Amino acid sequence: MAMAPVRDPLKTYRAKRRFATTPEPAGAAPQPAPGRGGRFVVQRHRARRLHYDFRLEVAGVLASWAVPKGPTLDPDVRRQAIHVEDHPIEYFEFEGVIPQGEYGGGDVIVWDWGHWTPAKDSDPERDLARGELHFDLEGERLRGRFVLVHTDRGSRGSGKDQWLLLHKHDEFAVKGWDPEALPQSVKSGRTNDEVAAAPESRWHSDRPVDQAEERLQGEIPTWKPPTDDELAALDSLKKAGDWELQGQVLRLTNLDKVLFPEQGGGSPVTKRDLIRYCARIGPWLLPYLWDRPVNLHRYPNGVEKPGFWHKEVPSHAPDWLTRWHNDDADPDETQWYFVADSVPALAWLANYGAIELNPWTSSVRDPRQPTWALIDVDPGPNTAWEELLVLVRLYRTALDHLGVVGAPKVTGKRGIQVWVPVATGYSFDDTRAWVETVSRAIGQTVPALVSWQWTKRDRKGLARLDYTQNAINKTLVAPFSARPAPGAPVSVPIEWDELDDPALRPDRWTVNTVFERLVASGDPLRRLIGMAQSLPRL
Ligand code: MN
């Protein structure tokens, strides 16, 4: 059967714009209509089961039906519609997530909206009470005459308040019309998956309606890479000199010093190369750094000499570098931390010999609340690569089973981590306990591969499932940070399915090869940044 064409007048407009990055509004919400009828909204809601919530504004509330298969313009199809409780008008524009564990936990997009008018010259409240309402919709997708008919009060039947929703044979009817063919929001242009990955809003139905909607962190800023002219200017510097990058003048030193020896026949990587890499990777790396303190692992004399941790911003650092003061610090602890929030800041840190950038798990907005739960699968000397993969796949299975989203990332050295975004409101004790519980369960399924001993010696070469980095001021290396090893490997997020790629290695990508991968595959972890995910009770 040929698919009927779907009507979506604003589709082209929306498809041409990414609302995440452009200030133009998507189709604006309908205003309350004067006179009879009112606004309607259809929200595509992925809760325990996918359904569409069909809501009509009646007498100051949203009369609501859950339509499992969604409304249709097909006049030969009747759709089951379960009458559910009225929703507050405040819910009309809601698009975002409802925390797991709360009523309706899942994700919601505004699938259609517009106006409705009762078809007969009658009182819609009375018609609804009698169980049959004929009405016209004027939405972006739904148009024409619809009928809601009450079929079963549920007192002795299914226990549900059953209605049917159907479309009449009229000029707007389309045979075979399927709402699932239009997966994008009319409000934002985003799909349920995209909203779940980076919600702008969260709804708490257990709060008073004027406090139910929690606006989440705004969009992540974007950064531009250096221009070809800027890179050429860097290459033309002698051993030292001033480099102008995006409006800042950087005083660079020891540019030809080898920081990383060559590996596998490649060239050694100099400080100039590292500075170039850090500037170019900025648009990919900065989303993980821009709003949080960063601990530096410095190797100013190259990675074959011992490195050291450095946290305090030195007095000679330029004024334009962003810093954050830790008000909880004791007098003998670090007071001022770097916040790497620009491409020039990354170049400055590279010139400073900061090879590894380790951002905090929490942001400067609330340093006591992690935004990531971190799983560190740390191989021991006797852990084979295939055994490491077994462990990481067990985490994948566990997260799938729990309905939790996370993404793996190779470390650039030997290990693999899994980063799990979490909603605000968790403490480090919460995330650490949660990761420990999951990890202990995994350890029990493969006890021969894992040790829970504290010291390396006592672990007897076995792997460690490390949950202890979930603590304030404890960190793991940032995605796309270089690692202190020959060849300048980098830590890179991957798709779960890449665990099955025979070419995968934890140090597969370097400062020279990672750009090719990013062009081809992008960054699968990025869409998880800021995701307001609740961790299920275990
Ligand atoms: Mn619902």
Side-chain angles (χ1 to χ4, degrees):
M1 185 186 82
M3 197 67 195
V6 287
R7 292 199 182 96
D8 186 7
L10 288 183
K11 187 174 179 191
T12 314
Y13 171 78
R14 280 189 297 268
K16 287 182 176 162
R17 288 162 177 79
R18 291 198 55 236
F19 292 103
T21 50
T22 61
E24 297 161 272
Q31 294 304 303
R36 299 159 68 240
R39 292 175 296 174
F40 83 94
V41 63
V42 180
Q43 283 148 318
R44 186 174 185 273
H45 182 186
R46 290 194 307 186
R48 198 179 296 265
R49 287 191 187 165
L50 169 68
H51 60 275
Y52 290 70
D53 289 302
F54 185 87
R55 308 186 195 277
L56 302 176
E57 182 179 13
V58 181
V61 297
L62 297 171
S64 297
W65 290 260
V67 184
K69 292 187 173 172
T72 177
L73 298 178
D74 188 337
D76 298 330
V77 171
R78 302 159 152 227
R79 286 286 158 84
Q80 182 197 25
I82 300 141
H83 192 210
V84 297
E85 74 284 6
D86 294 340
H87 269 56
I89 287 294
E90 286 82 354
Y91 198 76
F92 183 85
E93 285 191 57
F94 176 70
E95 177 166 297
V97 294
I98 301 169
Q100 297 298 337
E102 291 185 23
Y103 177 72
D107 46 73
V108 176
I109 63 167
V110 175
W111 181 84
D112 196 18
W113 57 14
H115 292 105
W116 73 278
T117 37
K120 294 173 190 155
D121 188 16
S122 66
D123 174 1
E125 284 179 77
R126 189 198 57 202
D127 288 354
L128 283 173
R130 288 179 178 173
E132 183 166 337
L133 178 70
H134 294 242
F135 57 100
D136 291 308
L137 292 184
E138 195 181 332
E140 297 190 23
R141 291 168 174 166
L142 298 178
R143 301 272 171 110
R145 175 67 51 89
F146 286 78
V147 185
L148 273 164
V149 199
H150 204 177
T151 56
D152 176 9
R153 275 200 189 274
S155 49
R156 42 187 128 149
S158 62
K160 288 177 179 169
D161 195 1
Q162 299 280 357
W163 295 57
L164 291 173
L165 174 66
L166 50 100
H167 193 276
K168 301 290 265 187
H169 287 269
D170 63 16
E171 60 181 306
F172 298 104
V174 182
K175 279 191 195 292
W177 197 91
D178 179 7
E180 289 288 290
L182 296 167
Q184 288 166 328
S185 162
V186 295
K187 179 180 175 182
S188 67
R190 302 204 295 169
T191 63
N192 279 80
D193 275 335
E194 288 165 340
V195 166
E200 290 175 1
S201 195
R202 198 182 307 147
W203 189 270
H204 300 275
S205 48
D206 54 350
R207 295 185 188 169
V209 290
D210 59 334
Q211 296 160 34
E213 185 166 9
E214 177 193 356
R215 303 294 301 174
L216 301 173
Q217 167 192 339
E219 286 297 325
I220 303 159
T222 55
W223 293 267
K224 286 188 169 52
T227 65
D228 290 344
D229 287 347
E230 286 168 330
L231 292 173
L234 173 64
D235 288 338
S236 66
L237 290 177
K238 304 224 166 14
K239 279 193 294 191
D242 288 349
W243 184 34
E244 188 171 346
L245 174 63
Q246 299 187 354
Q248 303 296 350
V249 177
L250 297 141
R251 176 141 298 175
L252 305 181
T253 55
N254 295 319
L255 287 168
D256 295 326
K257 178 186 274 185
V258 171
L259 293 182
F260 305 81
E262 61 88 21
Q263 163 90 327
S267 319
V269 173
T270 64
K271 194 164 150 196
R272 187 192 315 263
D273 297 330
L274 181 70
I275 292 168
R276 187 191 303 106
Y277 170 74
C278 287
R280 289 182 66 205
I281 202 69
W284 300 94
L285 169 54
L286 286 164
Y288 299 98
L289 298 177
W290 69 282
D291 59 345
R292 47 197 77 220
V294 62
N295 299 345
L296 312 178
H297 210 177
R298 292 181 61 207
Y299 292 79
N301 296 307
V303 301
E304 294 191 305
K305 301 271 164 55
F308 53 91
W309 287 98
H310 189 122
K311 298 177 186 174
E312 187 81 48
V313 179
S315 57
H316 63 78
D319 289 343
W320 54 262
L321 279 175
T322 304
R323 318 135 146 86
W324 169 77
H325 186 262
N326 183 10
D327 294 337
D328 292 336
D330 291 334
D332 60 337
E333 292 180 321
T334 301
Q335 301 294 311
W336 290 97
Y337 286 81
F338 292 98
V339 177
D341 59 359
S342 69
V343 169
L346 291 177
W348 190 92
L349 290 169
N351 186 64
Y352 194 47
I355 302 259
E356 274 187 352
L357 304 174
N358 284 48
W360 286 26
T361 318
S362 52
S363 82
V364 293
R365 287 182 294 278
D366 192 341
R368 294 196 192 89
Q369 286 194 12
T371 69
W372 297 103
L374 300 180
I375 295 163
D376 186 13
V377 186
D378 188 10
N382 298 340
T383 306
W385 171 238
E386 279 303 325
E387 292 171 336
L388 184 74
L389 292 175
V390 165
L391 291 167
V392 178
R393 288 190 186 108
L394 284 168
Y395 278 105
R396 178 186 193 174
T397 305
L399 294 183
D400 275 354
H401 176 72
L402 294 166
V404 169
V405 173
K409 121 187 186 320
V410 295
T411 62
K413 291 190 119 177
R414 293 190 64 227
I416 297 181
Q417 304 160 358
V418 180
W419 285 37
V420 176
V422 299
T424 52
Y426 291 102
S427 67
F428 282 103
D429 288 345
D430 294 332
T431 52
R432 189 171 57 254
W434 194 87
V435 173
E436 179 177 3
T437 303
V438 174
S439 300
R440 296 252 178 207
I442 284 169
Q444 276 172 15
T445 69
V446 282
L449 299 184
V450 174
S451 168
W452 299 99
Q453 295 300 319
W454 190 253
T455 66
K456 251 186 185 156
R457 202 174 60 103
D458 292 340
R459 287 203 283 275
K460 302 202 175 355
L462 297 179
R464 181 182 190 208
L465 306 179
D466 187 3
Y467 52 85
T468 64
Q469 295 305 103
N470 294 291
I472 192 163
N473 208 341
K474 292 221 176 176
T475 56
L476 293 178
V477 67
F480 307 112
S481 172
R483 302 306 306 277
V490 294
S491 182
V492 178
I494 59 171
E495 302 278 0
W496 286 110
D497 287 344
E498 292 185 79
L499 296 174
D500 302 327
D501 180 348
L504 183 68
R505 289 291 175 272
D507 56 355
R508 178 176 181 182
W509 293 283
T510 70
V511 295
N512 291 317
T513 62
V514 72
F515 292 103
E516 210 173 307
R517 170 188 168 77
L518 285 170
V519 168
S521 314
D523 172 14
L525 186 59
R526 186 177 187 139
R527 59 179 179 263
L528 274 50
I529 298 173
M531 182 172 173
Q533 177 168 249
S534 299
L535 298 175
R537 282 184 188 283
L538 300 171

